[in-house]
Amino acid sequence: MIGQKMEDLINNQINAELYSSYLYLSMSAWCSQETWNGFAHWMRLQAQEELSHAMKFYDYLNERGGTVRLAAIEKPNDTWASPLALFKEVYEHEQKVTAMINAMMAEAIKQKDYAAEIMLHWFVSEQVEEEANASEIVAKLEKIGDSTGGLFQLDHQLEKR
Ligand SMILES: [Fe+2]
Ligand SMILES: [Fe+2]
């Protein structure tokens, strides 16, 4: 049986992962509209990944005898100034998610909730990868600057994800 505090944190995280999915889907839509098809593809896959994160927490909560309580999902932005502005927001968002996962891990350790700790290990590693992927794209976009040719090349590269 899961404790109330951990149950609340997991429900909150389900909402955060669904919001991430919603945000990235909105970003994908903007990229498509701007005919950045590679960026759109990358963001669309990312949206799917975030949905799978929400479902990992959802399944875990069910398995542990907790109650899944779905809350309203915040409306994401739908316009960005540039691909760089968009990917900077992805990176900042992922850092926020990392802080949430770390706070959950700290609570699991405090409560000696070993099952939650083991489940959260996967997310701690996943966030390392998520931040690295986003920051790498930001760094490339910063180097590209105003070069349209460079943007097309990166867009083409991300289409292969
Ligand atoms: Fe996630
Ligand atoms: Fe993520």
Side-chain angles (χ1 to χ4, degrees):
M1 193 66 194
I2 193 164
Q4 189 61 49
K5 184 135 192 213
M6 193 52 68
E7 179 177 312
D8 291 346
L9 284 171
I10 291 172
N11 273 316
N12 188 50
Q13 196 63 34
I14 290 172
N15 187 267
E17 300 291 345
L18 289 173
Y19 172 73
S20 299
S21 182
Y22 221 36
L23 173 65
Y24 296 161
L25 189 60
S26 184
M27 287 173 162
S28 180
W30 180 82
C31 292
S32 286
Q33 210 169 359
E34 297 289 312
T35 64
W36 295 118
N37 296 337
F39 298 145
H41 171 74
W42 196 93
M43 292 311 313
R44 188 174 174 141
L45 288 186
Q46 198 57 36
Q48 281 172 16
E49 244 188 49
E50 299 300 348
L51 181 60
S52 80
H53 294 168
M55 293 314 291
K56 265 185 200 279
F57 283 114
Y58 173 103
D59 289 337
Y60 176 79
L61 195 49
N62 271 332
E63 253 182 342
R64 297 283 293 144
T67 305
V68 171
R69 291 182 209 280
L70 298 179
I73 304 165
E74 198 191 320
K75 181 197 176 297
N77 278 343
D78 47 30
T79 311
W80 287 269
S82 63
L84 175 60
L86 183 148
F87 277 97
K88 270 186 175 169
E89 192 176 322
V90 172
Y91 183 41
E92 278 163 25
H93 183 69
E94 287 300 333
Q95 286 173 294
K96 270 187 226 160
V97 173
T98 300
M100 293 176 84
I101 299 286
N102 288 346
M104 288 175 84
M105 181 60 106
E107 188 59 31
I109 290 167
K110 193 177 139 200
Q111 288 183 18
K112 297 186 165 55
D113 184 342
Y114 303 119
E117 219 182 298
I118 288 165
M119 181 272 295
L120 286 165
H121 272 166
W122 185 89
F123 282 96
V124 171
S125 306
E126 175 68 9
Q127 282 311 117
V128 171
E129 209 182 291
E130 295 268 79
E131 281 193 33
N133 291 341
S135 74
E136 188 188 326
I137 297 171
V138 168
K140 283 181 178 169
L141 285 167
E142 276 172 344
K143 274 189 194 140
I144 287 166
D146 291 330
S147 154
T148 310
L151 266 177
F152 273 114
Q153 211 174 338
L154 183 61
D155 184 61
H156 190 66
Q157 190 193 321
L158 294 191
E159 201 159 21
K160 291 180 187 125
R161 178 185 175 177

mmCIF file of all heavy atoms in Angstrom, residues 11-43:
data_model
loop_
_atom_site.group_PDB
_atom_site.id
_atom_site.type_symbol
_atom_site.label_atom_id
_atom_site.label_comp_id
_atom_site.label_asym_id
_atom_site.label_seq_id
_atom_site.Cartn_x
_atom_site.Cartn_y
_atom_site.Cartn_z
ATOM 1 N N ASN A 11 0.232 11.497 -8.534
ATOM 2 C CA ASN A 11 -0.872 12.082 -9.304
ATOM 3 C C ASN A 11 -0.470 13.429 -9.911
ATOM 4 O O ASN A 11 -0.792 13.732 -11.054
ATOM 5 C CB ASN A 11 -2.121 12.240 -8.420
ATOM 6 C CG ASN A 11 -2.964 10.978 -8.424
ATOM 7 O OD1 ASN A 11 -3.202 10.378 -9.468
ATOM 8 N ND2 ASN A 11 -3.415 10.569 -7.254
ATOM 9 N N ASN A 12 0.252 14.216 -9.131
ATOM 10 C CA ASN A 12 0.744 15.505 -9.614
ATOM 11 C C ASN A 12 1.708 15.316 -10.787
ATOM 12 O O ASN A 12 1.673 16.058 -11.769
ATOM 13 C CB ASN A 12 1.443 16.224 -8.454
ATOM 14 C CG ASN A 12 1.806 17.640 -8.799
ATOM 15 O OD1 ASN A 12 0.976 18.392 -9.289
ATOM 16 N ND2 ASN A 12 3.059 18.003 -8.551
ATOM 17 N N GLN A 13 2.532 14.257 -10.688
ATOM 18 C CA GLN A 13 3.504 13.989 -11.754
ATOM 19 C C GLN A 13 2.819 13.465 -13.011
ATOM 20 O O GLN A 13 3.255 13.778 -14.129
ATOM 21 C CB GLN A 13 4.576 13.004 -11.247
ATOM 22 C CG GLN A 13 5.821 12.960 -12.122
ATOM 23 C CD GLN A 13 6.558 14.290 -12.164
ATOM 24 O OE1 GLN A 13 6.581 15.017 -11.167
ATOM 25 N NE2 GLN A 13 7.129 14.627 -13.304
ATOM 26 N N ILE A 14 1.752 12.694 -12.856
ATOM 27 C CA ILE A 14 0.974 12.245 -14.026
ATOM 28 C C ILE A 14 0.501 13.480 -14.790
ATOM 29 O O ILE A 14 0.628 13.576 -16.009
ATOM 30 C CB ILE A 14 -0.234 11.352 -13.605
ATOM 31 C CG1 ILE A 14 0.257 9.997 -13.072
ATOM 32 C CG2 ILE A 14 -1.209 11.153 -14.782
ATOM 33 C CD1 ILE A 14 -0.841 9.124 -12.458
ATOM 34 N N ASN A 15 -0.006 14.464 -14.051
ATOM 35 C CA ASN A 15 -0.474 15.698 -14.676
ATOM 36 C C ASN A 15 0.678 16.444 -15.363
ATOM 37 O O ASN A 15 0.520 16.941 -16.483
ATOM 38 C CB ASN A 15 -1.153 16.588 -13.626
ATOM 39 C CG ASN A 15 -1.812 17.801 -14.252
ATOM 40 O OD1 ASN A 15 -1.212 18.867 -14.345
ATOM 41 N ND2 ASN A 15 -3.033 17.632 -14.723
ATOM 42 N N ALA A 16 1.842 16.492 -14.705
ATOM 43 C CA ALA A 16 3.002 17.196 -15.270
ATOM 44 C C ALA A 16 3.486 16.519 -16.557
ATOM 45 O O ALA A 16 3.858 17.188 -17.525
ATOM 46 C CB ALA A 16 4.132 17.262 -14.244
ATOM 47 N N GLU A 17 3.474 15.180 -16.578
ATOM 48 C CA GLU A 17 3.917 14.448 -17.777
ATOM 49 C C GLU A 17 2.904 14.640 -18.913
ATOM 50 O O GLU A 17 3.298 14.784 -20.075
ATOM 51 C CB GLU A 17 4.109 12.959 -17.477
ATOM 52 C CG GLU A 17 5.142 12.643 -16.389
ATOM 53 C CD GLU A 17 6.582 12.938 -16.786
ATOM 54 O OE1 GLU A 17 6.867 13.119 -17.986
ATOM 55 O OE2 GLU A 17 7.440 13.005 -15.881
ATOM 56 N N LEU A 18 1.618 14.660 -18.567
ATOM 57 C CA LEU A 18 0.592 14.894 -19.597
ATOM 58 C C LEU A 18 0.706 16.320 -20.132
ATOM 59 O O LEU A 18 0.545 16.557 -21.329
ATOM 60 C CB LEU A 18 -0.814 14.621 -19.047
ATOM 61 C CG LEU A 18 -1.143 13.140 -18.789
ATOM 62 C CD1 LEU A 18 -2.485 13.001 -18.098
ATOM 63 C CD2 LEU A 18 -1.134 12.327 -20.086
ATOM 64 N N TYR A 19 1.002 17.276 -19.237
ATOM 65 C CA TYR A 19 1.215 18.651 -19.697
ATOM 66 C C TYR A 19 2.434 18.718 -20.626
ATOM 67 O O TYR A 19 2.393 19.396 -21.662
ATOM 68 C CB TYR A 19 1.394 19.623 -18.508
ATOM 69 C CG TYR A 19 1.795 20.993 -18.997
ATOM 70 C CD1 TYR A 19 0.881 21.832 -19.634
ATOM 71 C CD2 TYR A 19 3.117 21.437 -18.885
ATOM 72 C CE1 TYR A 19 1.258 23.068 -20.143
ATOM 73 C CE2 TYR A 19 3.503 22.671 -19.388
ATOM 74 C CZ TYR A 19 2.574 23.483 -20.015
ATOM 75 O OH TYR A 19 2.960 24.697 -20.529
ATOM 76 N N SER A 20 3.511 17.999 -20.277
ATOM 77 C CA SER A 20 4.702 17.966 -21.135
ATOM 78 C C SER A 20 4.316 17.465 -22.529
ATOM 79 O O SER A 20 4.732 18.029 -23.547
ATOM 80 C CB SER A 20 5.776 17.038 -20.565
ATOM 81 O OG SER A 20 6.196 17.467 -19.297
ATOM 82 N N SER A 21 3.520 16.409 -22.557
ATOM 83 C CA SER A 21 3.082 15.834 -23.822
ATOM 84 C C SER A 21 2.280 16.859 -24.627
ATOM 85 O O SER A 21 2.485 17.041 -25.831
ATOM 86 C CB SER A 21 2.236 14.588 -23.549
ATOM 87 O OG SER A 21 1.847 13.991 -24.756
ATOM 88 N N TYR A 22 1.396 17.556 -23.928
ATOM 89 C CA TYR A 22 0.533 18.571 -24.541
ATOM 90 C C TYR A 22 1.370 19.737 -25.080
ATOM 91 O O TYR A 22 1.149 20.216 -26.192
ATOM 92 C CB TYR A 22 -0.407 19.064 -23.451
ATOM 93 C CG TYR A 22 -1.833 19.297 -23.857
ATOM 94 C CD1 TYR A 22 -2.486 18.495 -24.792
ATOM 95 C CD2 TYR A 22 -2.561 20.336 -23.268
ATOM 96 C CE1 TYR A 22 -3.803 18.723 -25.117
ATOM 97 C CE2 TYR A 22 -3.880 20.563 -23.595
ATOM 98 C CZ TYR A 22 -4.499 19.755 -24.519
ATOM 99 O OH TYR A 22 -5.805 19.994 -24.842
ATOM 100 N N LEU A 23 2.344 20.166 -24.275
ATOM 101 C CA LEU A 23 3.234 21.267 -24.671
ATOM 102 C C LEU A 23 4.026 20.878 -25.924
ATOM 103 O O LEU A 23 4.128 21.656 -26.878
ATOM 104 C CB LEU A 23 4.188 21.600 -23.517
ATOM 105 C CG LEU A 23 5.305 22.609 -23.798
ATOM 106 C CD1 LEU A 23 4.742 24.007 -24.095
ATOM 107 C CD2 LEU A 23 6.278 22.696 -22.605
ATOM 108 N N TYR A 24 4.585 19.659 -25.929
ATOM 109 C CA TYR A 24 5.415 19.239 -27.051
ATOM 110 C C TYR A 24 4.578 19.003 -28.307
ATOM 111 O O TYR A 24 5.058 19.234 -29.417
ATOM 112 C CB TYR A 24 6.251 18.006 -26.669
ATOM 113 C CG TYR A 24 7.253 18.298 -25.555
ATOM 114 C CD1 TYR A 24 7.820 17.285 -24.794
ATOM 115 C CD2 TYR A 24 7.630 19.615 -25.266
ATOM 116 C CE1 TYR A 24 8.736 17.568 -23.781
ATOM 117 C CE2 TYR A 24 8.525 19.897 -24.259
ATOM 118 C CZ TYR A 24 9.080 18.879 -23.511
ATOM 119 O OH TYR A 24 9.970 19.170 -22.516
ATOM 120 N N LEU A 25 3.340 18.583 -28.121
ATOM 121 C CA LEU A 25 2.445 18.429 -29.275
ATOM 122 C C LEU A 25 2.129 19.800 -29.875
ATOM 123 O O LEU A 25 2.100 19.967 -31.093
ATOM 124 C CB LEU A 25 1.160 17.708 -28.843
ATOM 125 C CG LEU A 25 0.211 17.288 -29.966
ATOM 126 C CD1 LEU A 25 0.884 16.322 -30.935
ATOM 127 C CD2 LEU A 25 -1.047 16.644 -29.371
ATOM 128 N N SER A 26 1.936 20.782 -28.997
ATOM 129 C CA SER A 26 1.685 22.154 -29.445
ATOM 130 C C SER A 26 2.915 22.700 -30.184
ATOM 131 O O SER A 26 2.797 23.374 -31.217
ATOM 132 C CB SER A 26 1.340 23.036 -28.237
ATOM 133 O OG SER A 26 1.013 24.333 -28.649
ATOM 134 N N MET A 27 4.092 22.381 -29.675
ATOM 135 C CA MET A 27 5.341 22.794 -30.324
ATOM 136 C C MET A 27 5.468 22.114 -31.689
ATOM 137 O O MET A 27 5.892 22.746 -32.664
ATOM 138 C CB MET A 27 6.542 22.446 -29.440
ATOM 139 C CG MET A 27 6.670 23.350 -28.226
ATOM 140 S SD MET A 27 7.977 22.793 -27.109
ATOM 141 C CE MET A 27 8.235 24.287 -26.128
ATOM 142 N N SER A 28 5.093 20.838 -31.748
ATOM 143 C CA SER A 28 5.145 20.104 -33.015
ATOM 144 C C SER A 28 4.227 20.757 -34.043
ATOM 145 O O SER A 28 4.601 20.917 -35.213
ATOM 146 C CB SER A 28 4.749 18.639 -32.782
ATOM 147 O OG SER A 28 4.792 17.934 -33.992
ATOM 148 N N ALA A 29 3.057 21.152 -33.587
ATOM 149 C CA ALA A 29 2.085 21.796 -34.494
ATOM 150 C C ALA A 29 2.657 23.103 -35.046
ATOM 151 O O ALA A 29 2.548 23.391 -36.246
ATOM 152 C CB ALA A 29 0.770 22.058 -33.760
ATOM 153 N N TRP A 30 3.299 23.887 -34.158
ATOM 154 C CA TRP A 30 3.898 25.162 -34.610
ATOM 155 C C TRP A 30 5.019 24.893 -35.631
ATOM 156 O O TRP A 30 5.100 25.561 -36.663
ATOM 157 C CB TRP A 30 4.438 25.959 -33.410
ATOM 158 C CG TRP A 30 5.051 27.273 -33.821
ATOM 159 C CD1 TRP A 30 4.388 28.445 -34.072
ATOM 160 C CD2 TRP A 30 6.451 27.534 -34.070
ATOM 161 N NE1 TRP A 30 5.287 29.413 -34.456
ATOM 162 C CE2 TRP A 30 6.554 28.889 -34.468
ATOM 163 C CE3 TRP A 30 7.614 26.761 -33.991
ATOM 164 C CZ2 TRP A 30 7.780 29.489 -34.781
ATOM 165 C CZ3 TRP A 30 8.832 27.358 -34.310
ATOM 166 C CH2 TRP A 30 8.905 28.711 -34.693
ATOM 167 N N CYS A 31 5.856 23.912 -35.339
ATOM 168 C CA CYS A 31 6.952 23.574 -36.253
ATOM 169 C C CYS A 31 6.403 23.150 -37.624
ATOM 170 O O CYS A 31 6.936 23.556 -38.660
ATOM 171 C CB CYS A 31 7.829 22.466 -35.675
ATOM 172 S SG CYS A 31 8.782 22.955 -34.228
ATOM 173 N N SER A 32 5.346 22.347 -37.618
ATOM 174 C CA SER A 32 4.728 21.918 -38.888
ATOM 175 C C SER A 32 4.237 23.127 -39.676
ATOM 176 O O SER A 32 4.439 23.215 -40.884
ATOM 177 C CB SER A 32 3.532 21.001 -38.622
ATOM 178 O OG SER A 32 3.965 19.749 -38.217
ATOM 179 N N GLN A 33 3.585 24.022 -38.937
ATOM 180 C CA GLN A 33 3.035 25.211 -39.582
ATOM 181 C C GLN A 33 4.134 26.063 -40.205
ATOM 182 O O GLN A 33 3.945 26.664 -41.259
ATOM 183 C CB GLN A 33 2.283 26.022 -38.531
ATOM 184 C CG GLN A 33 1.136 26.798 -39.104
ATOM 185 C CD GLN A 33 0.250 27.366 -37.999
ATOM 186 O OE1 GLN A 33 0.496 27.161 -36.805
ATOM 187 N NE2 GLN A 33 -0.766 28.087 -38.404
ATOM 188 N N GLU A 34 5.292 26.066 -39.545
ATOM 189 C CA GLU A 34 6.435 26.844 -40.039
ATOM 190 C C GLU A 34 7.257 26.053 -41.056
ATOM 191 O O GLU A 34 8.345 26.475 -41.438
ATOM 192 C CB GLU A 34 7.331 27.247 -38.856
ATOM 193 C CG GLU A 34 6.671 28.159 -37.836
ATOM 194 C CD GLU A 34 6.453 29.573 -38.350
ATOM 195 O OE1 GLU A 34 7.382 30.161 -38.918
ATOM 196 O OE2 GLU A 34 5.322 30.087 -38.180
ATOM 197 N N THR A 35 6.757 24.889 -41.430
ATOM 198 C CA THR A 35 7.399 23.935 -42.359
ATOM 199 C C THR A 35 8.784 23.467 -41.910
ATOM 200 O O THR A 35 9.627 23.105 -42.719
ATOM 201 C CB THR A 35 7.443 24.435 -43.832
ATOM 202 O OG1 THR A 35 8.249 25.605 -43.915
ATOM 203 C CG2 THR A 35 6.051 24.684 -44.378
ATOM 204 N N TRP A 36 8.985 23.420 -40.589
ATOM 205 C CA TRP A 36 10.177 22.766 -40.043
ATOM 206 C C TRP A 36 9.770 21.324 -39.744
ATOM 207 O O TRP A 36 9.460 20.973 -38.603
ATOM 208 C CB TRP A 36 10.683 23.479 -38.777
ATOM 209 C CG TRP A 36 11.166 24.871 -39.005
ATOM 210 C CD1 TRP A 36 10.664 26.023 -38.464
ATOM 211 C CD2 TRP A 36 12.279 25.278 -39.827
ATOM 212 N NE1 TRP A 36 11.381 27.112 -38.896
ATOM 213 C CE2 TRP A 36 12.378 26.687 -39.733
ATOM 214 C CE3 TRP A 36 13.198 24.593 -40.640
ATOM 215 C CZ2 TRP A 36 13.355 27.418 -40.415
ATOM 216 C CZ3 TRP A 36 14.169 25.326 -41.319
ATOM 217 C CH2 TRP A 36 14.235 26.713 -41.199
ATOM 218 N N ASN A 37 9.746 20.504 -40.769
ATOM 219 C CA ASN A 37 9.180 19.154 -40.619
ATOM 220 C C ASN A 37 10.020 18.240 -39.728
ATOM 221 O O ASN A 37 9.482 17.368 -39.055
ATOM 222 C CB ASN A 37 8.979 18.516 -41.994
ATOM 223 C CG ASN A 37 7.948 19.275 -42.820
ATOM 224 O OD1 ASN A 37 7.096 19.971 -42.263
ATOM 225 N ND2 ASN A 37 8.036 19.168 -44.141
ATOM 226 N N GLY A 38 11.338 18.432 -39.732
ATOM 227 C CA GLY A 38 12.204 17.632 -38.871
ATOM 228 C C GLY A 38 11.991 17.971 -37.402
ATOM 229 O O GLY A 38 11.858 17.079 -36.561
ATOM 230 N N PHE A 39 11.942 19.276 -37.085
ATOM 231 C CA PHE A 39 11.679 19.704 -35.700
ATOM 232 C C PHE A 39 10.302 19.191 -35.268
ATOM 233 O O PHE A 39 10.122 18.738 -34.136
ATOM 234 C CB PHE A 39 11.719 21.239 -35.572
ATOM 235 C CG PHE A 39 13.052 21.865 -35.899
ATOM 236 C CD1 PHE A 39 13.126 23.112 -36.532
ATOM 237 C CD2 PHE A 39 14.239 21.230 -35.560
ATOM 238 C CE1 PHE A 39 14.350 23.699 -36.832
ATOM 239 C CE2 PHE A 39 15.482 21.820 -35.861
ATOM 240 C CZ PHE A 39 15.529 23.056 -36.501
ATOM 241 N N ALA A 40 9.332 19.286 -36.187
ATOM 242 C CA ALA A 40 7.956 18.833 -35.894
ATOM 243 C C ALA A 40 7.941 17.341 -35.564
ATOM 244 O O ALA A 40 7.294 16.907 -34.612
ATOM 245 C CB ALA A 40 7.037 19.126 -37.074
ATOM 246 N N HIS A 41 8.698 16.572 -36.346
ATOM 247 C CA HIS A 41 8.784 15.120 -36.132
ATOM 248 C C HIS A 41 9.402 14.811 -34.759
ATOM 249 O O HIS A 41 8.892 13.977 -34.005
ATOM 250 C CB HIS A 41 9.624 14.510 -37.267
ATOM 251 C CG HIS A 41 9.972 13.071 -37.068
ATOM 252 N ND1 HIS A 41 9.048 12.068 -37.225
ATOM 253 C CD2 HIS A 41 11.140 12.465 -36.717
ATOM 254 C CE1 HIS A 41 9.641 10.901 -36.978
ATOM 255 N NE2 HIS A 41 10.903 11.117 -36.669
ATOM 256 N N TRP A 42 10.481 15.521 -34.455
ATOM 257 C CA TRP A 42 11.184 15.320 -33.180
ATOM 258 C C TRP A 42 10.249 15.626 -32.005
ATOM 259 O O TRP A 42 10.150 14.846 -31.044
ATOM 260 C CB TRP A 42 12.420 16.228 -33.137
ATOM 261 C CG TRP A 42 13.428 15.862 -32.076
ATOM 262 C CD1 TRP A 42 14.519 15.058 -32.229
ATOM 263 C CD2 TRP A 42 13.441 16.307 -30.703
ATOM 264 N NE1 TRP A 42 15.205 14.972 -31.036
ATOM 265 C CE2 TRP A 42 14.575 15.723 -30.093
ATOM 266 C CE3 TRP A 42 12.618 17.135 -29.943
ATOM 267 C CZ2 TRP A 42 14.898 15.944 -28.762
ATOM 268 C CZ3 TRP A 42 12.935 17.338 -28.605
ATOM 269 C CH2 TRP A 42 14.079 16.751 -28.025
ATOM 270 N N MET A 43 9.529 16.753 -32.094
ATOM 271 C CA MET A 43 8.630 17.158 -31.013
ATOM 272 C C MET A 43 7.445 16.204 -30.894
ATOM 273 O O MET A 43 6.971 15.943 -29.794
ATOM 274 C CB MET A 43 8.105 18.588 -31.235
ATOM 275 C CG MET A 43 9.115 19.711 -31.111
ATOM 276 S SD MET A 43 10.179 19.714 -29.627
ATOM 277 C CE MET A 43 9.016 19.424 -28.332
#
